[in-house]
């Protein structure tokens, strides 16, 4: 929202702080400002000038004009404007001398756009009155202060210049001049009826009827004001409604009274399917959640959002119904969101405007219309329907509580001065217990509890006046977060093993989900995705990691990376299941990939000592002959596999996918201490001959179960294929260690067990090399 | 006669020891001279046959010869030992300038690094580190934070909505609410985590970024206490004393609410492009917890109050490492990530 410095100064006539310092003061005390821009700089020194003569310049579109600039004397100016003609009154601006088309041009004749009055740059400005040398009436260089809209979301009053002027006056301790003279509203019976169906949606609707209206451009000073703050001048009536809105934060709407049907305005919910053509030439189909302003024939405005096309002010308008109403904030917000139309009016109404402001707006309109539409007459008196709105009860504010909240002491007089400067009413029924009444423009949503008053006092006294103080609180060890600690340990393990951490997005495309053979319908879907390829919540980290592998393989021959993140799984109701996973990838452009897979397996074992990989059916994105399930402490904890070659163009990527929630819960199991064995154990090696694709893990399990309770450990030693073994055969060797915590085994006992294993394996169909 | 042969043996053996070049030669000398069947041993056995007047003299002579030979052998053996060791050591030359095999240590993501630093910092100040879900209900993300439906403040955060009515948390503030519900007062907590806003991505905007929410609930917590904690925290983050200022800021879950600015660390406050010539950099929103928020989380605002703040973790990481494009952080490019 942009604010004109000159406009603010109209209400704070003694304001002498320059725009720059004022902007900083507003930032520190009221709301965040985003900068100051000068506007209408050319108006500095510009004056009324009469064109005396115009002569063409050979071989140029420009002409040589001589103007009478009053006390500045006669000036010769090179001018290209088509409307430059002798006798006209225009504006001359002193910008120095310059030779153009061989003619020395002194200053310039300016278009309205160049002067910052409106967007018209088709010719030089045409003035209706004034003596050469006079300044342009009520037009002066200005500065525009931009206030961040987000920082005034809670302040309906700051959406108009008068509200900001009130803040400025309070900040600087200056006097505020009221913008409104309520005595301008005539007391007479209203000339139009108003019928409000639901006062909760429209707490107040006020209107005045005018006749003998003349439609035409607004005076330049008014246009300049609107232009400075980014509004486009249209015609005097529309400009006036925008002007009052920008001044008092009260949106208004003008209907052409002759285009209305019947003598009553209805404020009612739209009927289902009711059609409405708005001022922006869009057609809307409404329903009961939209509040409309209607006449006997149908909607004439979408309440608080936009007027209708049919009853709009046009060149032929002579009678006007001027609406100044108040609407419920949330209803406006809903309608504006539903039809995707945010207007200057709806933006203000959704901040909860002050119902007292409707009549103030009309009073200000009367004053302006008298000037900008000469001869205008008010028909009848004020039409005004409203629900009774009792003032909210005063807020009780204890002085000691205020000081404890701020963390500094402050004198009661200072509190009073601050609150009264912001037009709060201040009483002190008991010593140091205040009763504070909130002005109507602050009580709609903004200020209702003592904490809100802490802010008022705090910001005005200045937060920089508060000295930091260490709180006196007991020292306490905070509750632990074992999951976070565990995940940091996992990160450390993988970083130590050479893996670099990546972060991927939580969104996936349907395409990438399908590429992995997952079902898009099983994914949680974003209703309003930023792009169609980011519409699904990831239920696996694998597509993200796959992308990392593909991208980095363009620059690297080998790399290791990992991510810890949440898989988000749809549930039947309530919040989805968020499961933390680790996915690690080891990519090598050359080699057969075996070393990478085993290295990754070793990394997994660093996290899960003793974990086993068990052969498992491959999923579509896994290499069908290189995938396994990781089992730790009897529970499935994840998968280890190589990406299917169709997914990785060149090279191989070994992948580890661990369910960290599972791994963490298994890590928490305490291993029980066993005493160090006092008796020597005995060991022997066994080599099992088996088909090449027999899993060593299966053999080991078989040997272990044949060994019986005296088995201490069983370890893979080596495997071998080649002569003298048959083609298609391999020999896998294990070292079996036997022992007892109570005694030394006899050689017979050990020999018996060995025989039992050998015979058992033979009966399972394996040959043994002894 | 015997005297002479002992002396001759001794001097002959000493000469052989001196000229020996291997341990084997030396061993042969030892066996020849000092062995059980060697001449000295023989002479010793024959001592009994000597006339008594010669025994003592010959005995002395034998002992001295044995000692001399043993010492010479020992000395020569040490010499030969170190010689062969030296030869072995010489043969075992390694090129220590070659790179070690195996992978180099990997790299933590810069957000992880800063986040851990902050977790440790807050833990040392007695703050619990809490987590909450990334998919949140409307209640926890908005209503419980004093942002009811149709509140214009909902526009301040463009929200990703999910089919079924839940949403992606737009801030880590819902964890405050969960923390208050779970742990109750007094409470000191932070909640670092991933948040989402429906914004298009460019060099300085992301739809996915990281925040660190903090909260302290106790008795009589004041603006002065908030200032103290923020100054302490920022000094630790930036490893230097920082000048801060509070100015009004509007966030429905705090009252009063502030924007906290720090004096520009680049120019020291005199104005530069980083601070847009203002001398100040907006760093974090904070404020005293709105009593409505406490009440909704089951805490009596008559007894307890507190402060809350939200730190842009992603922004802090970018400041710390002077990263000029936010997209690198979730781009997965190792050429970027390996710099941390
Ligand atoms: Zn700076």
């Amino acid at each position: 929202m942009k604010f004109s410095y000159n406009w603010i100064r109209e209400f704070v006539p003694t304001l002498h702080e320059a725009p720059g310092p004022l902007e900083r003061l507003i930032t520190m005390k009221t709301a965040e400002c985003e900068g100051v821009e000068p506007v209408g700089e050319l108006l500095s020194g510009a004056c009324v000038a009469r064109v005396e003569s115009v002569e063409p310049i050979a071989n140029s579109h420009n002409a040589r004009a001589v103007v009478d600039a009053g006390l500045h004397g006669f000036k010769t100016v090179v001018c290209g404007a088509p409307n430059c003609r002798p006798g006209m009154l225009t504006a001359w601006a002193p910008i120095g001398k310059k030779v153009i088309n061989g003619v020395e041009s002194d200053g310039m004749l300016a278009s309205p756009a160049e002067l910052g009055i409106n967007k018209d740059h088709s010719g030089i400005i045409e003035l209706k009155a004034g003596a050469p040398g006079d300044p342009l009436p009520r037009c002066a260089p200005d500065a525009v202060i931009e206030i961040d809209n987000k920082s005034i979301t809670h302040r309906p009053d700051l959406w108009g210049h008068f509200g900001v002027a009130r803040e400025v006056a309070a900040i600087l301790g200056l006097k505020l001049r009221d913008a409104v003279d309520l005595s301008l509203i005539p007391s007479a019976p209203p000339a139009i009826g108003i019928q409000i169906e639901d006062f909760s949606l429209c707490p107040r609707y006020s209107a005045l009827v005018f006749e003998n209206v003349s439609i035409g451009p607004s005076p330049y000073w008014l246009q300049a004001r609107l232009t400075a703050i980014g509004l486009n001048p249209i015609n005097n009536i529309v400009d006036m409604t925008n002007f009052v809105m920008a001044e008092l934060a009260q949106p208004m709407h003008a209907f052409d009274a002759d285009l209305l049907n019947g003598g009553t305005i209805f404020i009612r919910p739209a009927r289902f399917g009711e059609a409405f053509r708005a001022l922006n030439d869009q057609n809307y189909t409404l329903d009961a959640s939209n509040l409309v302003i209607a006449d006997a024939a149908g909607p004439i405005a979408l309440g608080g959002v936009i007027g209708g096309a049919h009853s709009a002010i046009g060149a032929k308008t002579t009678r006007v119904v001027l609406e100044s109403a108040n609407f419920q904030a949330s209803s406006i917000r809903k309608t504006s969101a539903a039809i995707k139309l945010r207007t200057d009016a709806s933006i203000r109404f959704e901040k909860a405007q002050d119902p007292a402001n409707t009549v103030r707006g009309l009073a200000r309109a009367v004053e302006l219309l008298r000037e900008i539409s000469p001869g205008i007459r008010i028909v009848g008196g004020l039409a005004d329907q409203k629900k009774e709105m009792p003032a909210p009860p005063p807020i009780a504010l204890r002085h000691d509580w205020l000081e404890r909240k701020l963390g500094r002491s402050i004198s009661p007089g200072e509190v009073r001065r601050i609150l009264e400067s912001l037009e709060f009413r201040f009483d002190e029924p008991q010593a140091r217990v205040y009763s504070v009444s909130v002005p109507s423009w602050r009580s709609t949503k903004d200020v209702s509890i003592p904490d809100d008053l802490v802010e008022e006092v705090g910001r005005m006294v200045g937060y920089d006046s508060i000295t930091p103080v260490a709180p006196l609180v007991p020292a306490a060890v905070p509750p632990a977060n074992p999951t976070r600690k565990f995940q940091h340990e996992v990160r450390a393990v993988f970083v130590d093993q050479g893996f670099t951490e990546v972060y991927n997005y939580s969104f996936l495309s349907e395409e990438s989900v399908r590429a992995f053979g997952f079902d898009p319908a099983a994914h949680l879907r974003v209703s309003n995705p930023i792009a169609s390829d980011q519409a699904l919540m990831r239920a696996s980290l694998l597509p993200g990691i796959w992308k990392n592998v593909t991208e980095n393989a363009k620059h690297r021959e080998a790399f290791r990376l990992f991510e810890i993140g949440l898989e988000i799984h749809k549930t039947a109701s309530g919040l989805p299941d968020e499961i933390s996973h680790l996915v690690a990838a080891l990519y090598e452009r050359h080699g057969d990939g075996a070393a990478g897979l085993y290295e990754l397996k070793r990394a997994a074992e660093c996290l899960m000592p003793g974990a086993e990989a068990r052969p498992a059916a491959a999923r579509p994105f896994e290499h069908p002959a290189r995938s396994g399930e990781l089992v730790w402490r009897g529970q499935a904890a994840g998968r280890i596999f190589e990406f299917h070659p169709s997914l990785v163009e060149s090279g191989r990527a070994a992948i580890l996918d661990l369910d960290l929630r599972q791994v963490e819960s298994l890590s928490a199991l305490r291993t029980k201490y066993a005493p160090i064995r006092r008796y020597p154990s005995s060991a022997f090696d066994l080599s099992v001959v088996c088909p090449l694709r027999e899993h060593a893990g299966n053999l080991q399990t078989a040997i272990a179960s044949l060994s019986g309770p005296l088995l201490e450990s069983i370890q893979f030693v080596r495997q071998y294929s080649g002569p003298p073994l048959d083609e298609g055969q391999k020999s896998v060797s294990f070292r079996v260690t036997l022992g007892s915590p109570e005694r030394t085994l006899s050689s017979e006992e050990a020999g018996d067990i060995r025989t039992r294993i050998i015979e058992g394996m033979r009966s399972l169909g394996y040959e043994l090399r002894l | 006669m015997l005297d002479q042969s002992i002396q001759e043996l001794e001097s002959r053996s000493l000469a052989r020891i001196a000229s020996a070049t291997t341990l084997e030669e030396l061993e042969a000398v030892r066996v020849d001279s000092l062995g059980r069947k060697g001449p000295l041993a023989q002479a010793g056995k024959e001592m009994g046959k000597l006339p008594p007047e010669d025994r003592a003299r010959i005995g002395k002579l034998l002992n001295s010869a044995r000692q001399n030979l043993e010492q010479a052998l020992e000395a020569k053996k040490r010499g030969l030992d170190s010689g062969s060791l030296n030869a072995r050591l010489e043969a075992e030359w390694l090129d220590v300038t070659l790179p070690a095999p195996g992978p180099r240590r990997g790299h933590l993501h810069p957000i992880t690094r800063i986040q851990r630093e902050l977790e440790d910092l807050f833990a040392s100040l007695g703050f619990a580190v809490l987590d909450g879900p990334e998919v949140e209900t409307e209640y926890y993300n908005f209503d419980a934070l004093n942002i009811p439906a149709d509140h214009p403040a909902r526009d301040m955060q463009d929200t990703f909505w999910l089919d079924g009515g839940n949403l992606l948390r737009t801030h880590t503030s819902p964890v405050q609410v969960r923390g208050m519900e779970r742990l109750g007062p007094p409470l000191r907590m932070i909640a670092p985590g991933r948040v989402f806003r429906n914004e298009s991505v460019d060099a300085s905007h992301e739809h996915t970024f990281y925040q660190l929410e903090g909260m302290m609930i106790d008795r009589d917590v004041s603006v002065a206490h908030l200032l103290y904690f923020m100054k302490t925290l920022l000094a630790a983050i930036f490893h230097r004393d920082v000048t801060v200022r509070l100015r009004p800021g509007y966030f429905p879950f705090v009252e009063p609410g502030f924007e906290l600015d720090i004096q520009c660390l680049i120019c020291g406050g005199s104005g530069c492009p980083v601070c847009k010539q203002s001398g100040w950099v907006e760093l974090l929103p904070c404020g005293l917890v709105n009593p409505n928020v406490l009440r909704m989380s089951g805490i009596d605002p008559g007894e307890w109050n507190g402060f809350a703040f939200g730190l842009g973790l992603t922004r802090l990481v970018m400041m710390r490492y002077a990263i000029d494009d936010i997209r690198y952080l979730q781009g997965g490019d190792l050429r970027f990530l390996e710099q941390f």
Side-chain angles (χ1 to χ4, degrees), chain A residues 506-522:
Chain A
S506 303
F507 304 116
L508 293 177
S509 67
E510 281 202 29
E511 191 194 357
S512 67
V513 162
R514 280 211 189 83
F516 275 78
F518 300 135
D519 176 13

Side-chain angles (χ1 to χ4, degrees), chain A residues 181-219:
Chain A
D181 177 1
L182 281 174
S183 72
L184 293 171
I185 305 267
S187 44
I192 191 159
I194 291 166
Q195 205 174 307
I196 299 175
E197 196 165 300
D198 183 346
F199 280 103
S200 70
L201 296 176
C202 176
R204 188 171 197 178
Y205 194 100
S206 315
L208 271 180
V209 180
F210 296 86
E211 62 181 11
N212 202 31
V213 175
S214 46
I215 305 295
S218 303

Side-chain angles (χ1 to χ4, degrees), chain B residues 264-281:
Chain B
C264 180
L265 298 172
I266 308 292
C267 64
S270 57
C272 73
V274 170
C275 58
K276 293 178 199 143
Q277 306 303 332
S278 72
W280 296 91
V281 176

